[in-house]
Each structure stands twice: as C-alpha cells, then as structure tokens.
Amino acid sequence: MTLWSRTRTAVYGEITRTAMELFLERGFEATTIDDIAAAAGISRRSFFRYFGTKEDVVLGDLVARGELIRDAFEARPESEDPWTALLGALHSVKDAADETDAEMLKVFKMVHQTPSLRARSIEKHLQWQALLTPEVRRRLGADPADPFDVRAEALVATVLTCLDVAGEAWARGDGAVPLEGLFDAAAAAVRG
C-alpha cells in the first residue's frame, strides 16, 4: 500500500469515526455535512472527495462487505446447495466483522429509523444481489443468458430479505436476541 493510499484510508477512517460520533450524539438527520467537516477539520469539498452522500458515511462499507460475502460464497464447498452456501457465507462475514455487536446495533437502529438510510441500505443490497447472482446461477446450472430463469435472483433476494427482517427485529428488540439467531429463524421460516 502506498503512502498516499495509507493516508487516504486513515483520513477516510477519521471522517467516518467523527461522523458516526455526531450521528449517534445528535441524530443522523440533525447532523449536517458541514458539521462533520468542521468536526473532522476538513472542508466540505474534502468531505465529498471521500463520500458521495452523508448516507455513504454510514453505509459506505456495505459494497466492500458484499464483495467479501461473494468471495466467501464462491469459496463454499460445491456440495452445498446455493441456499446453504449463501447462509454460510453471510455467517462467515459477520464473524469477521470489525465492529462489536453494540456498535452494530447502534448503526442498525439508526438505519432502520432513518428513511434515507433505509433506502440507501436497500440500494446497497441490490448491489449485493448483482454480486451474488452469477455464482447462484452457476451452482444451479442456469443459463446466464436466459432472462426468464429467475431462480437465482429469487434465492439471493430472499436471503437478503431474511437478513433485513432479522436486522430490523434485532434493532427493534434492542439486541436482546442474537442477530444470527434471528437471521437463522427467518431463513428457516422461508425454507420450512
């Protein structure tokens, strides 16, 4: 990693930490980009060099997490059916997450209580669907050029909906039940 890349990563991390502190203290909607820039000691213009929107501060790493899920999914044993492999991939990425459950819970609550974050989260999950669908198609033996074979898209969308439903319940219940258990319960209900 070059000095420029390390510096950029450090600044990105500092802006993110500063913004998250403000969001959790003041609320997402009450915190402006100018507030974040001032607290981070940067200009508004510099903020936009790192983030396209305020929502991206909270959800920006979801695209990278989607790539981790795809990589974990592709590494799952060929003997696993696509559903089982997707669930295993999601569990393995959760286990590798840097944030604590308490930190994740705060973010989940903020996302589920803020319409613009909720919409952006759904948009990011659509990007995950695009990342995961080709491997599901391959595992199903589906023709990638067949526009009418919707099985892969349906499987991925269903797994991501289970994740969303579990996350919302986890936030609503203040983390009293483990997120993994809620996700597994949602997935089992669909398969049952």
Side-chain angles (χ1 to χ4, degrees):
M1 200 178 228
T2 66
L3 177 61
W4 183 85
S5 295
R6 289 194 309 270
T7 301
R8 182 168 175 77
T9 300
V11 172
Y12 178 92
E14 180 61 29
I15 296 168
T16 300
R17 280 187 295 282
T18 300
M20 290 303 290
E21 287 172 11
L22 291 172
F23 293 152
L24 295 173
E25 177 186 315
R26 300 178 183 176
F28 181 81
E29 292 172 337
T31 304
T32 67
I33 290 171
D34 290 330
D35 294 335
I36 297 165
I42 61 171
S43 68
R44 181 180 175 86
R45 185 174 175 177
S46 291
F47 173 89
F48 286 112
R49 285 190 192 121
Y50 292 91
F51 302 97
T53 66
K54 189 169 71 164
E55 289 78 9
D56 287 338
V57 176
V58 178
L59 301 170
D61 73 329
L62 280 184
V63 172
R65 191 161 294 178
E67 291 168 357
L68 291 174
I69 294 167
R70 181 200 54 211
D71 294 346
F73 178 45
E74 290 174 352
R76 301 296 297 182
E78 287 291 324
S79 60
E80 289 182 338
D81 64 89
W83 181 264
T84 303
L86 279 168
L87 297 182
L90 281 162
H91 277 292
S92 71
V93 170
K94 168 30 178 121
D95 294 341
D98 287 338
E99 62 266 317
T100 66
D101 279 353
E103 292 167 332
M104 259 182 34
L105 182 60
K106 289 177 185 176
V107 172
F108 270 61
K109 283 182 174 183
M110 188 174 17
V111 168
H112 290 284
Q113 294 168 357
T114 309
S116 65
L117 283 172
R118 184 84 174 116
R120 191 76 167 151
S121 173
I122 291 167
E123 190 178 306
K124 299 286 185 182
H125 279 182
L126 289 173
Q127 292 175 352
W128 286 13
Q129 185 164 345
L131 286 171
L132 297 168
T133 297
E135 177 64 8
V136 174
R137 281 184 169 277
R138 187 191 69 73
R139 285 179 181 245
L140 291 172
D143 176 1
D146 182 356
F148 303 111
D149 188 343
V150 296
R151 296 175 298 156
E153 288 87 350
L155 269 171
V156 175
T158 302
V159 167
L160 294 178
T161 298
C162 289
L163 181 62
D164 234 13
V165 167
E168 193 168 338
W170 188 58
R172 200 174 46 244
D174 205 27
V177 174
L179 176 59
E180 297 84 0
L182 292 167
F183 175 62
D184 290 341
V190 172
R191 289 291 283 214

